[in-house]
Amino acid sequence: MFVGRQKQLVALAAALERTPGAVLVVGEAGIGKSALVREFARGVDALVAEGGADPGTALQTAAVHGGQGGMPYAVFVPVLRRLIREYGAELVPGGGRKGLARLLPELGELEEHPELGRARLFEEVLLLVERAAERRPVVLVLEDLHWADQASRDLLVFLLRNLTRPGVLVIATSREPLRLPMAEVLKVPPLGRDEVARMLGGTDGEQVTSLGRTDGERVAPLGRADLDRIVARSEGNPLFVEALADAGTATTPASLRELLLAGAERLGRASLDVLRIAAVSASVSPSYGESWTPHEVLRAVAGLDDLALDEALRPVVRARLLLVDGDGYAFRHTLIRDAVYDDLLPGERIRLHTRCAEARPELAADHWYAAGDRRRAFEAAWRAGRWERVLELWDQSDPPDSGMDHAAVLELAAKDALHAGDAERAEELASRALDEVRDPLRAAHLLELRVAIRDLLGEEGLADLREAIRLAPREARLIGALANTLAWNGQDAEARAHAEDALALGDSRSLVTLAALTALEGDLATASRLHAEARAAAPDDDTLLAAYAGEADVLEAAGEHAKAEAVARRGMAQAKRLGMARSRGAHIAANLAEPLASLGRWKEAREVIDAALALDPPPIHRAWLLMVLGTVAVREGSLEEAADVLDRARPLMRGRSRGYDSCLEPDLLEGRLAVASGDVARAGRLADHVLSAHDLTLSRRYAWPLLVIAARTGRVRRAPEGMETTGRVQEAYRATFEAECGGSWAAAVAAWRTVGQPYALGQALVRAAEQDPEPARELLREAAAIAERLGSAPLRQEVEAAAASGRVRLTAEPGLSARELEVLELVAEGLSNRQIAERLFISARTSGVHVSNIMAKLGVASRVEAAALARRTGLL
């Protein structure tokens, strides 16, 4: 099943638009290079001719052909045969018998010209390809160039340097970068977690079904934990994903293990020992997907001096089983690590884990555990604060006399899980701790912890917070947490009162809540001061990062996009330093992606989102990232991607932990998608739902843009009572709403100019041009320039439709004379040269000259193109 790769498909499509050209698709074995090219080729209107290198033939014939590894020109033979079958050898003078017959015997006996043999062949291949492209665009697909013979590579380089005519795109795949002239390099990245889930038949971490069968029966459905393990072990490689899903997640399939260990079979004893030590050391890394081992650990465990260790490591690195990574070594793929580890005898594992426990104190608990020494594992885990491991060994060990009971360890483990971004596990541990405690104050703090956890799961925590305050009515942190939740739910007055009470009692985290409420009142300067005070007085790392996230959020909402970007970047840097990139860092990543999207820097926004999603953040953070991604996709015109994003995000925003803004955001994305798709009925149904099911006066961000959609579909003509407007962005949306209801689009344009959101400005410019013909040309040209700069297909289409309707020319005047304009109008009516001559009382020859001049000035190749261009640009 093909999933993801939208950016790569777009890049290939763009390459086809600007032929001639070439794209080198690079990625490791199994990453999906061929699948990507097949998916692209399936949807193009072009002749696709495929060839490629054969590793078996390369190995078999390398000695015969001077060690070059393959029959000469083997890559191109299927390509040339496909073109000849489609169009015939007559495309080439002499029917190809002077050059092509060297590779295609079916063309007849080769007419030998020894001094021109290779040159003649190259020229005939070039001529064949270019003449085929004159009939229909041609896509040449050349697979596995890393195995290609030198002659094939030489021919490819010749083609790339000499292709000058449009219509030819060369797509080559390789496991490693190659130096090819004029070729764009397109790297195929690993699949993300959501993409792996969809590949296996599920969505966003929900239960999925394996692709394979065991003993004729379909294997059991994969749960979230199994999916997590497949993602970690496969590292997003589709081939490995399928193999692991087919065989189950506990072991590495035998066929895959043989492939992974192919390079290890040729290692000497010392090198193999070092590889095994690295596998054992990395098998208990803090993160499952991490396969890194420090150089010092390898030296200590191997007992080798520096020179001997270097000599043992060099063959391992040369075989790319280990890669040099800073002052240590990393397995090229975690499955290589697993295969090496699984190949160890039980006694070898115990001995190596014991030696690693002594060499790596920070991971001693895990190494002792793997070696089977539960007592030492428990002691090491307690000393290192590894509370999950402590819980696992609790019933088999004697806890130290520290005053900590089982519930306290559960609470600490829950906090660790929350810090790491594993909200589901954190909720389970916090709930178990609640079941064990009887002290009201402890119970109150555990309720507060569970509220923070459930917030990440999209669940509102008001009931838990009110119960916590009943148990501990003067606890400042609890009152502050209640204030924050009330603020998210639009209960501003009560939220401010509680926040001020909490602050007076010493809860500095309430400064973040007060800052957000102050920003809603329009006082950004005071809000920024309060956020700065919150960071300075932050009692913990999470509060520090929450202050960055909060300030970026209110700045973006107010239209201060550049300032929001700067604050979010500082916050992300802090999150990375504090080891919280997956949890609070993903929250701030959404706060960074949003202003980038607003500013029209969509590529940067996508990069931020992709990096954050790759960390598998908590559900609500993942949802916020997806919302920005969906908005960017709609504006770019990637409507299928936007629909997919919406389907993935809706289940994650099932609750109202962030008030009406959280539950309205997917509705807004759906409305924008419906409008962009031209689905007026769907947009109307969405507007009806929002107006009937929600109180828009409680929304902080999305009420006015939703009302714009409702007005566009004719559902409303007046805003609901109590609708407030704070800041430039909301003022611009209000002006847009009023324009949709019959007001001035010029006013909406003026409002969006003050905000700095180019896409929204472009849309308003188009509507203003439709409303007032007098300045239409200047307005539409500005909108067209914005669409071009952003790369927005929907905005470009809106501009062109308005230009055609208003007969506005978007490009510079082509310098047509009055007579030529008359002729062009008749050409657009479909008249022939003779008919035009009769209509204008001129000779047919003169008519033909006029038509030729018009086509030259317009830069088109046919009468049909000339008519279409004239209508599209408003020339007629």
Side-chain angles (χ1 to χ4, degrees):
M1 177 181 178
F2 185 85
V3 298
R5 313 301 195 205
Q6 291 303 312
K7 289 169 59 177
Q8 289 73 32
L9 289 172
V10 169
L12 289 173
L16 186 59
E17 290 292 321
R18 55 175 184 268
T19 56
V23 178
L24 178 64
V25 180
V26 178
E28 66 176 19
I31 200 65
K33 303 182 294 296
S34 297
L36 168 66
V37 176
R38 281 196 303 271
E39 181 71 13
F40 169 71
R42 190 177 62 172
V44 300
D45 182 16
L47 174 65
V48 180
E50 301 178 46
D54 180 351
T57 303
L59 291 173
Q60 185 178 12
T61 61
V64 178
H65 298 281
Q68 292 180 359
M71 296 294 290
Y73 308 110
V75 171
F76 280 93
V77 171
V79 171
L80 301 176
R81 187 166 281 128
R82 174 79 171 90
L83 295 178
I84 292 294
R85 285 177 181 170
E86 186 72 20
Y87 297 120
E90 291 71 23
L91 286 180
V92 181
R97 284 186 294 276
K98 295 182 179 180
L100 291 177
R102 292 180 61 185
L103 306 182
L104 304 177
E106 61 266 33
L107 296 182
E109 186 175 348
L110 177 67
E111 297 179 8
E112 288 287 357
H113 294 270
E115 72 284 0
L116 296 175
R118 177 179 162 107
R120 176 74 70 180
L121 171 64
F122 282 23
E123 290 292 345
E124 288 195 359
V125 171
L126 175 63
L127 191 59
L128 174 66
V129 171
E130 289 196 329
R131 288 191 172 177
E134 290 175 358
R135 288 154 174 78
R136 185 184 179 193
V138 172
V139 176
L140 305 184
V141 176
L142 309 176
E143 293 274 20
D144 297 323
L145 277 193
H146 49 277
W147 281 320
D149 59 281
Q150 188 59 50
S152 291
R153 295 192 188 193
D154 291 344
L155 176 52
L156 175 58
V157 169
F158 174 83
L159 285 178
L160 297 183
R161 284 179 173 160
N162 291 277
L163 281 169
T164 57
R165 298 184 182 180
V168 182
L169 175 64
V170 178
I171 302 177
T173 69
S174 175
R175 292 183 184 175
E176 56 198 33
L178 302 173
R179 298 183 65 179
L180 296 177
M182 319 300 181
E184 172 190 354
V185 177
L186 184 63
K187 294 184 178 179
V188 182
L191 296 177
R193 185 182 186 283
D194 292 346
E195 293 168 326
V196 171
R198 283 182 285 137
M199 179 180 173
L200 298 181
T203 56
D204 197 58
E206 299 299 324
Q207 192 179 69
V208 298
T209 301
S210 172
L211 299 174
R213 295 175 183 270
T214 302
D215 297 329
E217 298 293 332
R218 183 170 291 278
V219 298
L222 296 171
R224 184 180 180 87
D226 287 331
L227 177 61
D228 288 342
R229 189 168 178 83
I230 286 178
V231 171
R233 298 190 71 202
S234 70
E235 295 184 7
N237 184 303
L239 175 65
F240 298 165
V241 168
E242 290 190 16
L244 291 170
D246 287 349
T249 61
T251 60
T252 303
S255 58
L256 188 55
R257 189 181 301 121
E258 292 174 6
L259 173 65
L260 294 166
L261 293 181
E265 296 174 354
R266 297 185 291 274
L267 295 177
R269 176 62 184 270
S271 296
L272 190 56
D273 285 346
V274 169
L275 182 65
R276 289 168 174 167
I277 292 168
V280 170
S281 172
S283 68
V284 297
S285 293
S287 141
Y288 187 87
E290 185 178 328
S291 300
W292 184 77
T293 298
H295 180 87
E296 292 301 319
V297 170
L298 281 182
R299 183 171 60 179
V301 177
L304 299 174
D305 60 34
D306 288 336
L307 182 59
L309 180 59
D310 289 344
E311 289 302 312
L313 276 168
R314 188 165 284 109
V316 182
V317 173
R318 190 179 299 123
R320 298 191 75 243
L321 295 166
L322 289 178
L323 305 176
V324 177
D325 185 1
D327 57 353
Y329 306 89
F331 279 89
R332 179 168 52 85
H333 200 286
T334 55
L335 282 174
I336 298 176
R337 176 198 68 190
D338 293 348
V340 174
Y341 186 85
D342 292 343
D343 203 43
L344 292 169
L345 296 173
E348 289 177 311
R349 291 183 191 175
I350 291 173
R351 287 194 300 274
L352 290 177
H353 274 298
T354 299
R355 286 153 64 183
C356 285
E358 296 165 352
R360 301 194 74 174
E362 74 280 10
L363 298 176
D366 296 321
H367 282 297
W368 286 124
Y369 184 86
D373 193 329
R374 299 297 192 259
R375 180 184 61 81
R376 287 186 176 179
F378 184 85
E379 292 171 353
W382 191 281
R383 287 194 301 271
R386 299 284 303 283
W387 304 116
E388 278 277 10
R389 182 68 76 192
V390 169
L391 285 174
E392 185 178 358
L393 298 170
W394 185 271
D395 294 333
Q396 306 172 40
S397 309
D398 295 322
D401 186 15
S402 64
M404 287 176 54
D405 58 13
H406 189 252
V409 176
L410 283 167
E411 181 178 359
L412 290 170
K415 290 179 178 178
D416 285 349
L418 179 62
H419 186 280
D422 190 349
E424 289 86 353
R425 177 60 174 164
E427 181 185 30
E428 175 194 345
L429 293 167
S431 296
R432 285 171 57 190
L434 265 169
D435 292 339
E436 294 184 12
V437 300
R438 297 294 174 265
D439 178 68
L441 184 58
R442 288 184 68 184
H445 284 301
L446 282 168
L447 283 167
E448 178 199 3
L449 175 62
R450 192 168 69 175
V451 167
I453 295 167
R454 287 181 171 174
D455 175 61
L456 298 181
L457 297 171
E459 299 174 11
E460 182 206 280
L462 275 175
D464 271 359
L465 281 172
R466 293 192 188 279
E467 173 62 12
I469 292 175
R470 186 189 68 79
L471 294 171
R474 297 302 293 167
E475 279 293 298
R477 287 178 50 178
L478 299 179
I479 299 171
L482 176 61
N484 187 55
T485 304
L486 290 168
W488 276 113
N489 282 274
Q491 301 177 43
D492 295 357
E494 187 180 0
R496 181 175 283 280
H498 283 300
E500 290 172 349
D501 287 347
L503 184 61
L505 291 171
D507 179 44
S508 58
R509 296 183 308 170
S510 292
L511 286 165
V512 178
T513 304
L514 289 171
L517 293 169
T518 302
L520 286 172
E521 296 167 355
D523 189 352
L524 285 182
T526 300
S528 291
R529 177 178 58 78
L530 290 171
H531 278 122
E533 290 179 14
R535 288 192 288 271
D540 51 49
D541 294 341
D542 189 67
T543 303
L544 172 67
L545 297 178
Y548 279 111
E551 184 172 8
D553 185 60
V554 300
L555 287 170
E556 168 63 16
E560 298 288 346
H561 307 307
K563 291 181 180 178
E565 177 194 354
V567 171
R569 289 196 184 280
R570 292 199 299 272
M572 285 189 68
Q574 281 279 19
K576 185 176 182 180
R577 282 194 293 270
L578 296 170
M580 297 177 70
R582 182 188 177 200
S583 52
R584 186 66 77 173
H587 178 184
I588 302 175
N591 293 135
L592 172 58
E594 194 169 9
L596 291 174
S598 296
L599 291 166
R601 291 155 59 185
W602 296 340
K603 181 180 178 181
E604 293 178 66
R606 281 183 173 276
E607 290 170 352
V608 170
I609 293 167
D610 289 347
L613 288 176
L615 299 175
D616 185 25
I620 195 64
H621 295 165
R622 187 158 69 249
W624 293 339
L625 289 160
L626 289 172
M627 284 293 98
V628 183
L629 178 61
T631 301
V632 169
V634 168
R635 292 172 178 175
E636 289 176 335
S638 305
L639 302 187
E640 289 186 8
E641 180 189 11
D644 177 65
V645 166
L646 180 62
D647 289 342
R648 291 157 58 193
R650 271 204 183 277
L652 304 176
M653 306 184 82
R654 59 187 181 274
R656 290 183 177 172
S657 68
R658 296 303 166 111
Y660 264 74
D661 281 349
S662 185
C663 61
L664 283 174
E665 196 169 1
D667 289 338
L668 177 58
L669 177 56
E670 181 175 352
R672 286 171 168 165
L673 177 59
V675 170
S677 305
D679 192 340
V680 179
R682 182 182 181 186
R685 289 193 301 271
L686 185 280
D688 290 339
H689 160 72
V690 169
L691 293 170
S692 63
H694 298 291
D695 181 357
L696 294 182
T697 63
L698 296 178
S699 171
R700 300 299 192 212
R701 299 276 287 278
Y702 307 119
W704 283 112
L706 279 165
L707 283 172
V708 168
I709 294 173
R712 188 163 189 172
T713 58
R715 263 44 181 194
V716 295
R717 278 292 176 264
R718 189 174 61 183
E721 293 292 331
M723 288 288 298
E724 296 182 359
T725 308
T726 303
R728 296 198 302 264
V729 174
Q730 298 304 313
E731 291 288 354
Y733 274 120
R734 182 169 193 155
T736 304
F737 170 76
E738 291 170 351
E740 289 282 8
C741 295
S744 168
W745 277 103
V749 168
W752 283 114
R753 287 195 191 283
T754 69
V755 173
Q757 290 190 16
Y759 183 80
L761 173 60
Q763 288 186 310
L765 287 165
V766 172
R767 302 299 296 279
E770 293 173 334
Q771 189 178 62
D772 185 357
E774 185 173 343
R777 175 176 294 185
E778 289 71 23
L779 295 173
L780 289 177
R781 285 184 175 180
E782 182 181 356
I786 291 173
E788 181 67 24
R789 186 172 70 252
L790 295 178
S792 172
L795 182 56
R796 183 170 59 249
Q797 291 164 4
E798 289 181 35
V799 172
E800 291 176 352
S805 175
R807 301 171 70 86
V808 174
R809 179 169 177 79
L810 297 175
T811 56
E813 295 293 345
L816 298 183
S817 66
R819 173 63 85 182
E820 286 169 341
L821 285 171
E822 284 184 285
V823 172
L824 178 58
E825 190 164 355
L826 297 176
V827 167
E829 291 180 18
L831 274 61
S832 67
N833 286 354
R834 183 172 297 279
Q835 291 169 322
I836 293 172
E838 292 173 354
R839 182 80 63 88
L840 298 179
F841 304 103
I842 59 178
S843 70
R845 177 171 180 159
T846 302
S847 170
V849 170
H850 282 315
V851 171
S852 297
N853 289 340
I854 290 168
M855 290 168 58
K857 290 181 179 181
L858 295 180
V860 297
S862 70
R863 302 162 71 93
V864 173
E865 283 186 66
L869 179 63
R871 292 193 182 96
R872 188 171 66 249
T873 60
L875 192 58
L876 294 179

